[in-house]
Amino acid sequence: MRFNRKSAYVTSSTDSPAISTADMKTFLRVDTTDDDAVIASYISAATEAIKQYLRVALLTETFVFKADGFEFSDADDRLLALGAGMHTASRPYLLGGGETLDIPFPPLQSVTSIVTYDRGNNSSTYAASNYELDLQSGRIYLNEGSVWPSELRAQDAVEVTYVAGYGSGSIPQPILQAIRMYVEQLYDGCDGMTAEVRRLLAPYRRADELAW
């Protein structure tokens, strides 16, 4: 089976920062305004770094996900990415394809559109009545009797526009604490991703949906 190249990028975000500058200054015990801009930039950098480490959207953002098709490449990559140990997962998740489409950077809030391109490069919007959303896992699954479009072009045939993220007011406290600790390290001129930060984040980390 050919490799299914995938990508995802953010097109917009109007959410407020995960942690306010005032909150972060309290954590750092900083009582002047001299470093406000620096601290705000560290909050932004730490939030993005932790998002990429977790492969989870923290702030509310609009994404575009592109894939060559609805099939995955060899399942070995997906199985290896789970790591050692015992895992519980659905067969479509492990083997790919099937009736589900796993979207990167969950949790999903909504899907704006699924657009496909045929071999003549003509676009079609896949009807929302054909599928349902598993918001927490970031999975789109077909309704009974529905099928994914076929006869698509070879590259970038699938384009999903969606809104994802916990939202700045709903980020789990361990992740917020990890951001604070990451910023503290950056502010002190040290490595931000310490072992303690990783321990806080470990329960929330997901396999990378773009890796297979």
Side-chain angles (χ1 to χ4, degrees):
M1 184 181 296
R2 65 181 174 84
F3 182 70
N4 186 3
R5 181 180 178 276
K6 298 185 288 295
S7 63
Y9 56 90
V10 175
T11 60
S12 66
S13 176
T14 57
D15 208 348
S16 56
I19 297 171
S20 69
T21 302
D23 180 355
M24 194 64 235
K25 287 171 65 177
T26 298
F27 185 83
L28 295 172
R29 295 181 173 84
V30 172
D31 55 10
T32 70
T33 60
D34 296 349
D35 290 342
D36 280 12
V38 172
I39 292 170
S41 70
Y42 284 160
I43 292 170
S44 178
T47 301
E48 181 64 21
I50 287 175
K51 165 191 165 183
Q52 296 297 336
Y53 178 75
L54 293 177
R55 309 307 286 178
V56 169
L58 304 181
L59 305 178
T60 296
E61 297 174 314
T62 299
F63 289 81
V64 171
F65 166 65
K66 291 186 176 183
D68 290 343
F70 292 100
E71 295 179 332
F72 295 103
S73 59
D74 189 82
D76 288 347
D77 290 340
R78 176 168 288 236
L79 296 174
L80 289 172
L82 293 174
M86 182 177 293
H87 303 275
T88 301
S90 66
R91 186 174 186 277
Y93 182 87
L94 292 174
L95 302 182
E99 299 179 348
T100 65
L101 183 63
D102 294 302
I103 300 299
F105 296 104
L108 282 175
Q109 293 186 23
S110 62
V111 169
T112 305
S113 64
I114 300 177
V115 175
T116 59
Y117 295 85
D118 65 19
R119 293 179 179 180
N121 294 323
N122 301 301
S123 64
S124 298
T125 300
Y126 191 57
S129 58
N130 287 320
Y131 58 85
E132 299 291 338
L133 308 178
D134 183 343
L135 298 178
Q136 188 59 38
S137 72
R139 182 174 61 170
I140 301 173
Y141 60 93
L142 292 175
N143 288 325
E144 187 72 26
S146 296
V147 295
W148 295 120
S150 58
E151 299 299 316
L152 302 178
R153 69 187 186 189
Q155 286 83 34
D156 282 345
V158 180
E159 182 177 292
V160 183
T161 302
Y162 62 99
V163 179
Y166 288 112
S168 61
S170 302
I171 299 172
Q173 284 299 322
I175 297 179
L176 291 176
Q177 185 66 4
I179 295 173
R180 294 186 187 99
M181 294 169 66
Y182 199 123
V183 171
E184 182 180 40
Q185 291 293 107
L186 294 175
Y187 190 68
D188 290 340
C190 303
D191 178 20
M193 189 65 75
T194 63
E196 181 59 29
V197 168
R198 289 189 177 92
R199 279 193 289 272
L200 285 169
L201 297 175
Y204 302 94
R205 196 176 188 196
R206 291 178 56 94
D208 187 0
E209 304 295 355
L210 299 177
W212 43 69

